[in-house]
Amino acid sequence: MRTVKIFERKPPDSRILPLSSIWVVCIICLLSGCKSLKTAESSSNAILKTEEAFFSSVIDNSLRFNTLSARLKLELTTPGKELSSRATLKMRNNEVIQISVQPFLGIEAFKIELTGDSVKIIDRFNKRYILESYDNLKGKTAVDFNFNNLQALFTNKIFLPGHNELTTKQFSNFRYARDSERKAEFMTEDATGLIYRFVADGSEKLLSTVIEQNTEKNMLKWLYDDFQNIDNQKFPMKMTASLTGDEEEHGSVTLLLSDPELNKPITTDFKIPSGYERVTLSQILKMLELK
């Protein structure tokens, strides 16, 4: 497997993460277009399985949950800056993903909600909000995601682009390769020609998801690390999403989880205050010169 080149830059300054930067980067990492990846985690001494059996085991080792909640520390790195904020994560399986960012004394600065049909963001600092359907975003971004694919990124799962569920029967949709360290890569493409690469280790857990254009100039990497037991299931306490464009690194967001809980009652209310201005994602990206 080939390695991904990491581009060097000057050490960034650290300060509290401002509202406008983090939510834009989160959405870019999730929805923008973007190789094979060599990961750093050691592999196990598991007996080699057939390709399809290994694929099935990686699927079976995915997190099983009805609800998931956790505290977060978000770390944003862009050229010349390094920023951080506290947050909370709430998920209801196949229904909603919600991130509440609270940089000051538990006061919510903004909230992101992903549901089956839309992306919503409340910006309390600037009294504005975003409400975009996935159908509307398809014309503005290169990735043809649905909610279940986004949920898979947050929960360390292989997925088939555009499909809600993945089963062993869909193994024929992937190309398979294994390296000398017993890591396995499953690769597939979507209808737009984007390439998806999933790397798993010898203990059959997913280490990374890479989405790239076939020009190899634009890439989204989502890496998983620091696996810990949650209700007898292995789950990464560290996730890093990074975006590369025109062979230069544009930035990354790291999610550091703590105090995770599965299958406990959660509330996911999302009310847009009256008087807030509705803006589009394109407007925000243009203002920040990130588009």
Side-chain angles (χ1 to χ4, degrees):
M1 295 185 182
R2 292 169 292 170
T3 57
V4 173
K5 183 178 180 181
I6 304 299
F7 289 82
E8 296 182 354
R9 60 174 178 269
K10 294 180 180 179
D13 297 326
S14 297
R15 63 174 183 267
I16 294 297
L17 178 61
L19 172 66
S20 58
S21 297
I22 186 169
W23 68 253
V24 170
V25 173
C26 284
I27 293 299
I28 288 175
C29 287
L30 292 173
L31 298 173
S32 295
C34 339
K35 21 190 249 255
S36 172
L37 180 66
K38 182 176 181 181
T39 58
E41 183 163 330
S42 60
S43 59
S44 72
N45 294 320
I47 297 174
L48 294 179
K49 297 183 176 181
T50 65
E51 298 173 0
E52 189 168 349
F54 190 97
F55 180 75
S56 178
S57 293
V58 174
I59 294 174
D60 291 342
N61 285 337
S62 300
L63 184 70
R64 298 177 299 280
F65 71 103
N66 294 317
T67 65
L68 167 65
S69 61
R71 297 180 185 275
L72 289 180
K73 180 181 179 183
L74 297 174
E75 297 179 345
L76 169 65
T77 301
T78 60
K81 294 180 182 178
E82 186 172 294
L83 314 167
S84 66
S85 179
R86 296 176 183 174
T88 59
L89 171 68
K90 295 180 181 179
M91 300 181 62
R92 187 172 288 111
N93 193 22
N94 297 331
E95 291 184 23
V96 63
I97 302 170
Q98 205 173 81
I99 298 177
S100 174
V101 180
Q102 304 150 8
F104 305 107
L105 301 175
I107 299 173
E108 184 177 81
F110 71 96
K111 182 180 286 186
I112 300 171
E113 181 175 271
L114 308 172
T115 58
D117 59 1
S118 63
V119 176
K120 306 182 191 76
I121 304 170
I122 294 177
D123 176 350
R124 299 194 187 279
F125 280 166
N126 297 295
K127 294 187 176 180
R128 58 191 180 186
Y129 71 96
I130 289 174
L131 173 56
E132 297 267 17
S133 69
Y134 296 128
D135 289 338
N136 188 42
L137 287 171
K138 283 181 181 179
K140 301 173 184 177
T141 63
V143 177
D144 187 16
F145 273 171
N146 59 30
F147 171 79
N148 295 80
N149 298 163
L150 292 171
Q151 179 176 267
L153 285 174
F154 277 101
T155 54
N156 184 226
K157 295 175 66 175
I158 291 181
F159 60 90
L160 187 60
H163 291 253
N164 291 333
E165 298 293 337
L166 181 63
T167 67
T168 303
K169 294 180 180 179
Q170 294 167 312
F171 176 69
S172 60
N173 291 280
F174 294 81
R175 279 178 275 180
Y176 176 94
R178 188 186 286 273
D179 68 9
S180 60
E181 296 180 343
R182 295 185 177 177
K183 297 188 182 73
E185 179 182 85
F186 304 95
M187 191 271 280
T188 189
E189 297 182 22
D190 67 14
T192 70
L194 285 176
I195 299 170
Y196 297 71
R197 301 182 187 275
F198 304 90
V199 174
D201 67 4
S203 59
E204 300 157 347
K205 63 179 181 292
L206 189 66
L207 299 180
S208 66
T209 298
V210 177
I211 305 171
E212 61 181 321
Q213 287 183 331
N214 52 19
T215 58
E216 299 186 352
K217 290 184 178 180
N218 301 306
M219 186 188 328
L220 169 65
K221 294 188 297 181
W222 198 292
L223 309 181
Y224 305 98
D225 201 357
D226 189 19
F227 286 82
Q228 298 182 21
N229 279 318
I230 307 178
D231 292 353
N232 296 316
Q233 300 184 71
K234 290 287 187 181
F235 191 70
M237 295 294 102
K238 180 180 180 180
M239 307 182 197
T240 301
S242 61
L243 184 68
T244 300
D246 296 324
E247 300 182 346
E248 292 185 1
E249 203 167 282
H250 284 235
S252 66
V253 176
T254 297
L255 287 72
L256 300 171
L257 284 72
S258 61
D259 302 323
E261 292 186 330
L262 294 181
N263 307 323
K264 299 293 181 65
I266 61 172
T267 58
T268 54
D269 58 302
F270 194 97
K271 185 176 180 180
I272 298 173
S274 61
Y276 275 39
E277 177 188 7
R278 182 173 179 176
V279 295
T280 66
L281 182 60
S282 297
Q283 288 175 305
I284 299 300
L285 297 180
K286 185 176 181 180
M287 283 189 288
L288 296 173
E289 298 182 345
L290 290 175
K291 189 174 181 181

